[in-house]
Amino acid sequence: MELTAAQRAQYERDGFLIFPNLFSQAEVAVLRQEVARLTDIRADEVVREHTGGVKSLFRVHEGDGPTASAPFRALVRTPRLLRPVQQVLSGDAYVYHTKINAKPAIEGTPWMWHQDYNSWSKDGCPTSNMATFNVMLNDTSEFSGGLYILPGSHKLGLLESVQDTSTSYKLWSIPKQKMIEVLRASPPPVPVVGRAGTGVLFHCNVLHASGHNLSAEDRWHIYVSCNAVANKPILGENPRPDWVVSRNWYPLPIEDDGAVTKAA
Ligand code: SIN
Ligand code: MN
């Protein structure tokens, strides 16, 4: 799938693009079945809430490791997902990490306002030539803890961040007073909602957050975070593990667009 000139201009302006119903319900069904299988795995790649439920499932895109999944490996290589990533990163890309985030019905907790590059700059990635492709694995509303994106906020550049420890995953987030200031000076955040299969591509400096899941259904999203091959991290002394900062920086090849359902 090739982004049009208008879509590329929109990405430049807003820092994100939404693709309603990009993946079919049949593809989503295959991926959801995989999520059900993966949630039983006990490994470092499966980050759990203090209560034991899954918060994030990492590294589902590779052919090896405890959380390997053929359908998710196929998903990241589809032209629908990978070609727009290559376009916005202006060349070869690789997967920095994949994570499937859960938000259980009634209990699923927020993700604080942050820029993904708050963390990735600390991993040693030299520039912000990075982006994430989010695919909704169930219908998502504001009420079920969908993302909010602050349009145009990637143009603020990298903001100072502090580590939020209020949830089970330590996240570099924007300090409260700074975020209040930014929100007051910005257009309203956009709630990113849609049917299962909807895709969202966003710049690593765009401010985003998500709220509580107050609905009756679990919310499942996959985040395929990508880096330009030319921007691989200069790793420091204690780099984060490979499942969150991939060392596989070979250019990801575009493969069969129909491979997700074939991998079932
Ligand atoms: C993220 O921004 O990394 C996750 C947000 C979410 O799952 O709602
Ligand atoms: Mn994020």
Side-chain angles (χ1 to χ4, degrees):
M1 186 180 79
E2 205 68 20
L3 295 179
T4 63
Q7 285 174 310
R8 294 188 73 157
Q10 192 179 337
Y11 182 86
E12 278 297 309
R13 187 192 66 208
D14 297 340
F16 71 103
L17 289 170
I18 301 177
F19 308 96
N21 307 314
L22 184 66
F23 292 93
S24 70
Q25 296 310 303
E27 290 173 308
V28 169
V30 169
L31 297 171
R32 282 299 303 265
Q33 209 167 0
E34 274 299 278
V35 172
R37 180 182 70 77
L38 292 164
T39 49
D40 287 339
I41 292 168
R42 301 268 155 184
D44 288 348
E45 287 83 345
V46 184
V47 178
R48 292 181 184 275
E49 299 276 13
H50 305 303
T51 52
V54 170
K55 179 161 180 81
S56 297
L57 280 159
F58 279 88
R59 204 176 181 277
V60 294
H61 64 286
E62 295 286 14
D64 59 1
T67 45
S69 159
F72 280 110
R73 186 179 183 281
L75 177 77
V76 304
R77 288 162 172 77
T78 57
R80 274 172 289 172
L81 188 149
L82 185 51
R83 183 62 197 136
V85 168
Q86 291 175 337
Q87 282 183 277
V88 300
L89 299 185
S90 306
D92 283 335
Y94 73 93
V95 175
Y96 195 67
H97 64 231
T98 45
K99 64 176 191 280
I100 301 173
N101 282 351
K103 276 199 195 180
I106 311 290
E107 301 177 342
T109 52
W111 290 76
M112 297 299 173
W113 284 107
H114 66 280
Q115 297 166 308
D116 290 332
Y117 195 53
N118 291 140
S119 303
W120 302 342
S121 57
K122 292 179 175 58
D123 290 332
C125 295
T127 77
S128 61
N129 195 20
M130 306 177 78
T132 291
F133 210 117
N134 160 227
V135 180
M136 299 175 189
L137 300 175
N138 61 317
D139 296 351
T140 302
S141 66
E142 287 184 66
F143 177 57
S144 66
L147 275 187
Y148 290 89
I149 291 182
L150 202 58
S153 53
H154 59 309
K155 295 200 169 146
L156 297 171
L158 184 63
L159 303 176
E160 186 206 326
S161 57
V162 289
Q163 209 166 30
D164 174 64
T165 50
S166 64
T167 69
S168 45
Y169 186 76
K170 291 189 187 73
L171 184 69
W172 289 97
S173 312
I174 309 303
K176 182 173 153 184
Q177 279 315 319
K178 176 67 183 172
M179 199 58 221
I180 289 173
E181 199 184 293
V182 169
L183 284 167
R184 287 190 174 145
S186 304
V190 174
V192 184
V193 297
R195 284 204 74 195
T198 294
V200 188
L201 176 60
F202 58 96
H203 190 283
C204 70
N205 267 341
V206 92
L207 284 159
H208 58 287
S210 65
H212 209 101
N213 179 6
L214 296 173
S215 79
E217 307 303 327
D218 294 349
R219 192 218 70 167
W220 289 100
H221 280 192
I222 179 160
Y223 295 82
V224 180
S225 295
C226 297
N227 194 8
V229 169
N231 193 43
K232 64 181 186 234
I234 299 156
L235 298 173
E237 264 188 21
N238 287 308
R240 295 198 290 171
D242 144 272
W243 45 266
V244 64
V245 180
S246 176
R247 308 323 190 235
N248 180 4
W249 32 65
Y250 294 102
L252 193 69
I254 290 180
E255 287 177 7
D256 179 4
D257 207 39
V260 172
T261 41
K262 285 180 206 153

